[in-house]
Each structure stands twice: as C-alpha cells, then as structure tokens.
Amino acid sequence: MLNGEPGATISQFIDDAKHIDLLSEKGVSARLGLLLYGPPGTGKSLLAGHVAASLGRPFYIARLDSLISSRLGETAKNIRGVFEYVPAKKAVLFLDEMDAIAKVRDDRHELGELKRVVNTVLQGLDSLTDDVVTIAATNHPHLLDPAIWRRFPYKAEISLPDRDVRESLWLHFLYEGQEARRDEATLLAQVSDGLNGADIENIGLAARRRAILSGAEPALAKILLAVSGSRSGSARLIGNDDLDAQAKRTLSSFLSDKGGINQAEIARIIGVSRQMVNKYLKEVQDG
Ligand SMILES: Nc1ncnc2c1ncn2[C@@H]1O[C@H](COP(=O)(O)OP(=O)(O)OP(=O)(O)O)[C@@H](O)[C@H]1O
Ligand SMILES: [Mg+2]
C-alpha cells in the first residue's frame, strides 16, 4: 500500500524491466536501477521483494550494513563478493541499507577507506550485465555518493503513509480487511499521522494478540491510547484492564486536539458521559 506518486514510478520501472529486450533492441533502454528512499518503516524492503516477485525473477538481498567490517580492506572485499555471487541473467539484486556505506571511515587516511568502498560499489554495479535489475534502499539519500545516485535512473520516494493509506493499513493489519470495521479504521487513520506502516502493523498485531489470548477484543479506546503513545514516542502496551482516569484524560485530550473529534463522540469512544469528557478536557487545560 503506497501513496500515489511513487506507485507510478514503480509500475513504470516494472513495465520497462519486463520489456527490456524490446527497449534495448530499439536503443532506448535505461539501466534497470531503482532507488527507494524515505523514512524507516515505510515498506521499502518489503516493496523491493514485491518488485522482484512481479518480475518473476530470482531475488538476491545484500544488506550493506552487514558487509561493513572494521578491518581495513575487508569491507570492499565483502562487497566485491556480493557482485561476484549474483549470477548474470535476469536476477534482481537488492542492496538494502545503502547509507551504511557512508559511515565507513578509516582513521589513518581520513577518507581512504570510504573512497575505496564507494569505488567497489560502482565497479560492482558497472560489472553487472544489462539484464540484471538492481534495487537500492536508503533512509538517508543525501548521504549517497552522487556517482552511486546516478547509477539508479528510477527513483521513488517512499514517504510516511497519508490518511488514505493509513486507513488501508489499519483495515488490513488490525481488522483483517473486514469492511464492517471501515469506520474504526477511518477514525484510526484520522489520528495516526506521523506513524509509519511498521508502527501500524505493530499496534494492530499487538491488539489481535490480546484479543486471542484474552478472548475479548481490546476496546477501540485502548488502541487509540496506544496510537497516542506511539506518536509521542512513548509506546504503550495494550493492556487487559480498564482505562484509569489518567488514561481517559490523556485520550480525551488527544482525540480532541489531534483528531478534532467532538466531545459527544469522544464520550462514546471512551464509554463515559459527555460531561465527564468536558471535565477531563478542563483538567488537562488547567494542567
Ligand atoms: N506501505 C506499507 N504497506 C504494507 N505494509 C507496510 C507498509 N509500510 C510498512 N509496512 C509493514 O512494515 C514492515 C516493515 O517495513 P520495511 O522493513 O519494508 O520498511 P523499510 O522502509 O525497509 O524500513 P527501514 O528503512 O527501517 O529498513 C513491513 O514488513 C510491512 O509489514
Ligand atoms: Mg528496510
């Protein structure tokens, strides 16, 4: 599930890769390199696998961070090994966590080791035959060497999910796609801006685990509380016990501020009277 824009680049990439023989015959082929960049947990690694699957090609993953060694010369050797290992002919080579390269430094000659490693990657990319598809992913595109950047003509920015995508993610991960739960998914999408797909998956699966082990589905209020914690960087577990007054206060204020949800609706979600919600909001305001 993706926001619109990158989706278009990716379908174009898949289309071009599928017809690479025709395109090169006509002399208009481009190097089949796709760079996915954007914040963590937005599905870049997942997407690379999907691209390979929709091309029906074998998929080789190399995590650059795992090839980095503190021993001089070792990193370049590891990277060379990856490119030598990829069999020519219609493979997809996925270079994940590309920004790891930029962290290579060597104390003795300032940037000596970094240069050597970047050169090894460039040589590796250039050694691949035209029919090998390369996909690279990074959280920090600005750390990539410009020469590496140029080796990937197709670029797709994978950003945090927008509201529609969040709604689909909630529906999928929390409600297993049940259309009857659409309204709840809509509400969750409304208040979960800033969360990535991995966060939504985590909260959704945690809630389903609680439902299975306790025999009762966690109330929407508890899931919303987990969302509010996740957004403020203080993750909360979804517990089995009832919300205490403090949690109800936090939740009232969260829904009112961030979701712009009215007091009657908040009262219904939390299961208290509207007067009570009004009281909570006043208490929060008065600190
Ligand atoms: N847009 C999305 N659609 C479907 N699932 C998603 C999406 N974004 C994240 N996920 C879920 O979150 C998990 C983590 O995503 P993934 O590891 O692909 O993110 P990433 O962008 O590669 O993160 P990082 O930059 O940290 O490597 C995925 O396995 C998937 O289940
Ligand atoms: Mg990843």
Side-chain angles (χ1 to χ4, degrees):
M1 283 162 261
L2 285 178
N3 305 339
E5 182 76 22
T9 306
I10 287 154
S11 351
Q12 204 180 76
F13 178 76
I14 292 174
D15 208 28
D16 292 358
K18 278 187 177 157
H19 302 102
I20 190 64
D21 293 339
L22 173 65
L23 296 177
S24 38
E25 194 187 299
K26 302 283 183 195
V28 293
S29 63
R31 185 191 275 266
L32 292 175
L34 170 66
L35 180 68
L36 305 173
Y37 62 98
T42 48
K44 297 182 294 298
S45 301
L46 183 72
L47 181 60
H50 281 299
V51 172
S54 55
L55 291 175
R57 290 172 174 236
F59 188 46
Y60 297 84
I61 306 175
R63 288 191 50 148
L64 273 299
D65 55 342
S66 71
L67 300 178
I68 307 276
S69 156
S70 57
R71 287 178 40 208
L72 201 68
E74 193 80 10
T75 307
K77 193 171 146 228
N78 293 342
I79 291 174
R80 217 172 297 126
V82 167
F83 286 98
E84 279 163 12
Y85 179 80
V86 176
K89 293 295 145 211
K90 309 270 174 190
V92 175
L93 172 61
F94 178 38
L95 302 169
D96 204 358
E97 313 288 336
M98 272 296 248
D99 36 285
I101 297 176
K103 289 170 194 128
V104 174
R105 286 286 185 279
D106 119 43
D107 312 330
R108 281 183 297 164
H109 318 87
E110 250 335 71
L111 298 173
E113 177 79 341
L114 174 61
K115 266 194 188 149
R116 175 157 38 171
V117 166
V118 168
N119 278 330
T120 307
V121 173
L122 291 172
Q123 280 164 16
L125 289 169
D126 291 343
S127 74
L128 297 171
T129 51
D130 288 348
D131 60 13
V132 175
V133 166
T134 48
I135 305 178
T138 178
N139 296 328
H140 302 285
H142 55 277
L143 292 182
L144 278 192
D145 188 276
I148 293 183
W149 178 261
R150 274 201 308 279
R151 298 297 194 282
F152 296 88
Y154 300 78
K155 295 178 182 71
E157 180 174 12
I158 312 298
S159 22
L160 288 172
D162 65 20
R163 192 154 150 173
D164 287 348
V165 173
R166 290 196 303 274
E167 183 174 314
S168 310
L169 290 168
W170 283 115
L171 197 66
H172 173 75
F173 285 120
L174 178 58
Y175 298 123
E176 298 170 89
Q178 304 168 62
E179 269 309 316
R181 313 302 292 275
R182 174 68 67 178
D183 288 351
E184 287 146 278
T186 307
L187 175 68
L188 284 161
Q190 191 177 337
V191 299
S192 56
D193 56 297
L195 259 55
N196 61 35
D199 296 328
I200 293 176
E201 177 178 27
N202 285 337
I203 297 175
L205 294 185
R208 277 165 58 192
R209 280 195 292 273
R210 293 281 73 69
I212 289 168
L213 297 183
S214 71
E217 242 187 274
L220 179 62
K222 285 193 194 156
I223 298 165
L224 287 163
L225 197 61
V227 171
S228 103
S230 209
R231 279 187 35 145
S232 62
S234 56
R236 271 173 200 265
L237 290 176
I238 297 173
N240 285 329
D241 28 306
D242 292 333
L243 296 182
D244 59 20
Q246 184 51 44
K248 289 177 181 169
R249 220 172 278 128
T250 305
L251 194 53
S252 300
S253 135
F254 172 66
L255 293 174
S256 156
D257 290 356
K258 305 292 187 326
I261 297 166
N262 69 39
Q263 294 189 7
E265 175 79 345
I266 297 174
R268 199 183 54 78
I269 294 167
I270 304 186
V272 297
S273 68
R274 205 193 60 75
Q275 287 73 16
M276 204 60 196
V277 171
N278 192 26
K279 181 167 162 272
Y280 288 144
L281 291 174
K282 278 223 174 72
E283 285 167 358
V284 173
Q285 230 168 38
D286 300 341

